[in-house]
């Protein structure tokens, strides 16, 4: 596993109830490492975490908005 991926929020699934009930938000005045702060606060309220290797989301970038030229 790549350790750099753990700090980001975009590659994780969160339980909304944990976020809402514990008032976990991204800080508006923080412009760097805000994902790490969010994840650290979230992890204080969970008993376990799980990892999967399967890619569940794919992003396709289209060249010149032409569907026939897909760049992955």
């Amino acid at each position: 596993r790549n350790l750099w991926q753990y700090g980001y929020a975009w590659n994780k699934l969160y339980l909304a109830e944990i976020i809402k009930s514990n008032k976990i938000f991204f800080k508006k005045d923080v412009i760097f490492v805000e994902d790490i702060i969010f994840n650290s606060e979230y992890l204080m309220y969970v008993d376990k975490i799980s990892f999967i290797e399967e890619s569940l989301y794919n992003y396709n970038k289209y060249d010149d908005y032409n569907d026939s030229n897909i760049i992955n």
Side-chain angles (χ1 to χ4, degrees):
R1 293 191 180 109
N2 294 322
L3 292 177
W4 63 268
Q5 294 178 346
Y6 297 139
Y8 298 115
W10 60 264
N11 61 354
K12 295 167 185 54
L13 296 175
Y14 301 91
L15 292 175
E17 181 58 34
I18 291 174
I19 293 170
K20 291 175 185 176
S21 65
N22 296 291
K23 297 179 176 66
I24 303 170
F25 301 101
F26 285 96
K27 312 299 184 244
K28 292 182 181 181
D29 58 336
V30 177
I31 57 173
F32 295 107
V33 301
E34 64 274 17
D35 292 358
I36 293 173
I37 295 169
F38 179 88
N39 286 331
S40 297
E41 290 180 8
Y42 182 87
L43 289 172
M44 291 191 309
Y45 300 100
V46 299
D47 294 323
K48 67 178 182 174
I49 60 174
S50 299
F51 295 91
I52 60 170
E53 298 295 330
E54 183 181 358
S55 214
L56 301 176
Y57 179 84
N58 292 304
Y59 178 79
N60 292 320
K61 182 178 178 183
Y62 296 96
D63 185 28
D64 295 329
Y65 300 101
N66 184 346
D67 291 350
S68 64
N69 296 324
I70 297 176
I71 301 170
N72 285 324

